[in-house]
Amino acid sequence: MAVVLVAWWWLVQSVGFASHMASGGDAMAGMMGGAPVWSQAYLISAFAMWAIMMVAMMLPSAAPMILLFGRFSQKTVHGATKTLVFAMSYLIVWALFSALAAVSQAALVAMTAASAGTLKLADARFSGVLLIVAGVYQFSALKSACLDQCRSPLAFLMQGWRPGWRGAALLGLRHGLYCLGCCWVLMLLLFVAGVMNLAWIAVLTLIVSAEKLAPANIPARQISAIGLLAAGALMFVGV
C-alpha cells in the first residue's frame, strides 16, 4: 500500500509541477525539461514516468497474489525476501513494457500523431479504433486465459510453485506475463485521453482491478468491453 501511495503521489505531484513549469498547458514538455524527442534525457524521463505509472496502476490488482505468495513462503528460510523477489520479478515485466511504451511515445510525438504536451492522440478516429480494438480484445481467448490465471491466485501458486530464490523469480515473471496478457491493450488506451490525464489513469486502474478482483458473478470484463466498444464507435463517427 505504501509503494502504491508513493507512486500515485509522484504522479499527482509530477503532473502538477509539469503543468506549472510549462507554458500553454504543455505538461509533458515541462516534465521532460524541454528535452528533444529521441534524446537520452527524454527517453529516460518517459521510461521513469511509465514505470512508476505501471506500479501505481498494476500493483493494487496484483496484491492478492503477492500476499498469498507471502503466506506460502512465511515458513521457509528467507520467506519475506523471497516474497520481495516475487514482487520485483512481477514488476520487471511491466518495466520492460514501460521501456516499449516510452519508445512508442517518442515515436508518436515525433510523427505529431500525439500531442507533445498531453500525449493524447491527435486523430480522434484513430483513438476510436484503438478503443474498439481494446473492446474486441476483452472477448478474446488470450485475454480470458490470462485473466483466469490472475483471478485464481491459489490455483496459480499451487500449479507453479517452485522452491528457492529462482522459483520465486520465475513465478513472479510468469505472473507478470499473464498480467501483461490481460492488460497491455488497456494500458495503450492511456494515449486516448492523454497519458498525463490523472482521471483517465484512475478509470483504467479501476477497470483492471475490477476485472481481477470482482466476484465471479459480476461480469466486469464484459461490462468494460461493451463500454469500450460503444465509446470507440462514438469517437470514430465524431460524436
Side-chain angles (χ1 to χ4, degrees), residues 85-87 89-91 93 156 167-177:
V85 169
F86 175 83
S89 299
Y90 168 82
L91 291 176
V93 174
F156 176 82
L170 290 176
L171 199 58
L173 290 171
R174 183 181 171 190
H175 178 46
L177 289 172

Side-chain angles (χ1 to χ4, degrees), residues 11-232:
L11 288 174
V12 172
Q13 294 297 314
S14 295
V15 171
F17 174 77
S19 299
H20 175 73
M21 293 296 293
S23 60
D26 197 356
M28 194 63 194
M31 181 178 289
M32 301 304 174
V37 178
W38 298 123
S39 68
Q40 184 178 17
Y42 184 95
L43 291 174
I44 291 175
S45 298
F47 168 74
M49 179 195 70
W50 277 94
I52 295 174
M53 196 183 313
M54 292 304 101
V55 171
M57 298 179 72
M58 303 309 304
L59 202 55
S61 62
M65 186 75 76
I66 296 171
L67 293 173
L68 188 59
F69 182 92
R71 291 187 63 185
F72 272 50
S73 301
Q74 65 183 354
K75 295 183 180 179
T76 65
V77 178
H78 304 300
T81 307
K82 291 176 186 175
T83 304
L84 181 61
V85 169
F86 175 83
M88 293 303 296
S89 299
Y90 168 82
L91 291 176
I92 284 174
V93 174
W94 284 105
L96 294 175
F97 172 84
S98 298
L100 293 174
V103 172
S104 300
Q105 171 187 313
L108 289 171
V109 172
M111 295 185 298
T112 66
S115 165
T118 62
L119 301 180
K120 180 180 179 180
L121 291 172
D123 190 336
R125 290 179 300 176
F126 184 64
S127 295
V129 170
L130 190 56
L131 285 165
I132 292 171
V133 169
V136 172
Y137 185 74
Q138 293 289 84
F139 292 111
S140 70
L142 178 59
K143 166 81 176 194
S144 180
C146 291
L147 188 58
D148 285 345
Q149 295 291 331
C150 294
R151 285 181 57 87
S152 306
L154 182 58
F156 176 82
L157 293 178
M158 292 293 289
Q159 293 170 6
W161 181 266
R162 297 292 184 276
W165 306 90
R166 185 171 179 271
L170 290 176
L171 199 58
L173 290 171
R174 183 181 171 190
H175 178 46
L177 289 172
Y178 278 124
C179 191
L180 182 64
C182 287
C183 306
W184 69 275
V185 181
L186 291 175
M187 295 302 101
L188 294 182
L189 295 182
L190 286 164
F191 288 110
V192 170
V195 178
M196 305 302 294
N197 187 326
L198 287 174
W200 186 231
I201 295 173
V203 168
L204 291 176
T205 302
L206 290 174
I207 291 175
V208 169
S209 298
E211 287 183 356
K212 293 184 179 181
L213 305 178
N217 62 336
I218 298 178
R221 176 166 62 101
Q222 290 80 359
I223 292 172
S224 63
I226 293 171
L228 292 170
L229 291 170

